[in-house]
Amino acid sequence: MQAKKRYFILLSAGTFVVLLFYLGGLQFRASRSQSRREAHSSRNGLQHSGGPEHYWPRFPDALRPFVPWEQLENEEYNMHTSPRQKRDANASVYKGKKCRMESCFDFALCKKNGFKVYVYPQQKGEKIAESYQNILAAIEGSRFYTSDPSQACLFVLSLDTLDRDQLSPQYVHNLRSKVQNLHLWNNGRNHLVFNLYSGTWPDYTEDVGFDIGQAMLAKASISTENFRPKFDVSIPLFSKDHPRTGGEKGFLRFNTIPPLRKYMLVFKGKRYLTGIGSDTRNALYHVHNGEDVVLLTTCKHGKDWQKHKDSRCDRDNAEYEK
């Protein structure tokens, strides 16, 4: 019995010693690992306070916005940019591509008289599409409108800039010289330019045909490469039949899902058999069901559309014409 007791005591003591060595080794390895982290942090400019449990790395470079404008001039970025994209990004319309509110907008004009919008008087003989007339009429009918340019904080052109497709009958010629001759233009500062269409099929580059300078751009389908964050405004593409104001009350009511409406999604437009937008337009038929989702496209776009005609064109054209 005594032998068993002595044996048990020796075994317990041996186990305790081994455990001490094991815990000591863990602590030693942890301290060495911590020393390496601290040395690495000091070399890379990282700081921490307190013990290991309070180790919070502070990164020298904060997260930057998606595709910052400075990156457009970066050599590595330009290596992956096509020549056409470079031409479009450097087109005359975007000479002020680094504009932001704090650098290209004069807030002093707004502080003096409040937020007032001035619309240039319409020039004799200048054609203005109904869509742009509706925009100007909506501004002139608002409480922000002023007919005195000396009281204005924001300026809007009476020259129609909505449709800058040279193939369009609404295209305004010689817009570059007409804008530059405006005595209040001031390189576009505190101006807002509206645009729905720019460029010509099939490429549709984003050049509106004149240098907008420091003007803000309210544009449909603007690319991320040319959009100036917190300065430009992305607007939807609306048809010339879109009502200026008002409209019917919404059909959505509390707990009425889906809403009480016959059609959930409707689109009618060109197919774009080639060029920019063709991949998207040519795939719309996958979503079209002819019931609550109606997406109608026609291949009749451009003078040589029949050269690019595919097997679905006749059917799509017939549905489009209904």
Side-chain angles (χ1 to χ4, degrees):
M1 188 68 184
Q2 293 296 329
K4 288 184 179 180
K5 190 174 182 179
R6 286 197 299 269
Y7 177 79
F8 178 77
I9 293 174
L10 289 174
L11 180 61
S12 300
T15 304
F16 182 73
V17 171
V18 171
L19 183 60
L20 284 178
F21 274 105
Y22 176 75
L23 293 177
L26 284 179
Q27 187 175 3
F28 177 72
R29 284 195 295 271
S31 62
R32 289 189 60 186
S33 177
Q34 176 64 21
S35 300
R36 292 195 194 100
R37 284 200 300 266
E38 291 176 356
H40 178 74
S41 299
S42 62
R43 286 196 299 270
N44 291 277
L46 305 180
Q47 298 178 357
H48 66 89
S49 59
E53 66 276 12
H54 299 294
Y55 178 75
W56 295 101
R58 207 181 79 195
F59 299 96
D61 295 327
L63 294 177
R64 293 175 292 180
F66 176 69
V67 191
W69 286 113
E70 293 77 7
Q71 190 174 346
L72 289 175
E73 299 176 350
N74 184 275
E75 181 178 356
E76 181 179 355
Y77 176 83
N78 288 328
M79 286 174 58
H80 304 287
T81 307
S82 68
R84 174 172 290 172
Q85 287 175 319
K86 291 179 183 179
R87 288 197 302 270
D88 292 347
N90 295 325
S92 60
V93 63
Y94 292 110
K95 284 184 179 177
K97 65 182 182 181
K98 291 186 178 181
C99 270
R100 299 294 184 270
M101 294 299 292
E102 60 270 16
S103 60
C104 293
F105 192 89
D106 186 1
F107 287 95
L109 298 178
C110 305
K111 293 178 180 179
K112 183 171 62 175
N113 302 307
F115 185 75
K116 297 293 182 181
V117 184
Y118 173 77
V119 177
Y120 283 79
Q122 298 185 16
Q123 301 180 16
K124 188 176 181 179
E126 288 293 341
K127 61 180 181 180
I128 301 179
E130 184 179 355
S131 298
Y132 197 59
Q133 286 179 343
N134 288 340
I135 292 177
L136 299 183
I139 296 174
E140 292 172 349
S142 73
R143 60 188 177 91
F144 302 105
Y145 172 72
T146 178
S147 58
D148 184 358
S150 65
Q151 300 290 314
C153 165
L154 188 67
F155 300 82
V156 177
L157 303 177
S158 63
L159 296 166
D160 191 347
T161 58
L162 278 189
D163 195 342
R164 301 306 297 154
D165 183 351
Q166 296 183 25
L167 300 179
S168 171
Q170 306 295 339
Y171 181 80
V172 177
H173 294 273
N174 303 318
L175 194 56
R176 186 192 306 270
S177 59
K178 293 175 182 177
V179 171
Q180 295 299 329
N181 288 332
L182 298 173
H183 69 283
L184 297 174
W185 176 242
N186 190 25
N187 194 31
R189 179 164 287 229
N190 286 55
H191 281 67
L192 179 63
V193 176
F194 290 90
N195 177 249
L196 294 181
Y197 310 95
S198 60
T200 299
W201 182 86
D203 296 323
Y204 289 111
T205 60
E206 296 190 27
D207 189 353
V208 297
F210 67 99
D211 180 12
I212 65 172
Q214 297 180 351
M216 296 172 290
L217 189 63
K219 179 173 171 55
S221 303
I222 188 170
S223 68
T224 55
E225 287 81 7
N226 291 327
F227 182 77
R228 295 168 294 181
K230 300 182 181 180
F231 191 74
D232 290 332
V233 183
S234 179
I235 61 176
L237 181 66
F238 57 87
S239 70
K240 61 181 180 181
D241 299 324
H242 194 279
R244 189 180 80 197
T245 57
E248 298 180 10
K249 292 181 64 176
F251 287 83
L252 186 62
R253 298 290 185 271
F254 182 71
N255 278 348
T256 56
I257 303 295
L260 303 175
R261 182 174 290 211
K262 181 177 180 180
Y263 299 105
M264 184 180 72
L265 175 64
V266 175
F267 172 80
K268 186 177 183 181
K270 310 293 185 183
R271 266 276 299 278
Y272 296 163
L273 295 172
T274 60
I276 294 177
S278 59
D279 291 343
T280 302
R281 298 285 180 97
N282 290 339
L284 291 180
Y285 77 97
H286 289 290
V287 187
H288 169 77
N289 62 18
E291 296 177 1
D292 61 336
V293 177
V294 180
L295 303 175
L296 304 174
T297 58
T298 177
C299 296
K300 297 179 180 179
H301 188 206
K303 297 179 180 180
D304 59 346
W305 68 271
Q306 290 183 333
K307 295 180 181 178
H308 308 286
K309 183 178 177 181
D310 59 27
S311 60
R312 293 199 338 268
C313 277
D314 290 337
R315 182 176 66 254
D316 289 351
N317 291 344
E319 288 192 358
Y320 183 89
E321 297 294 337
K322 286 183 181 179

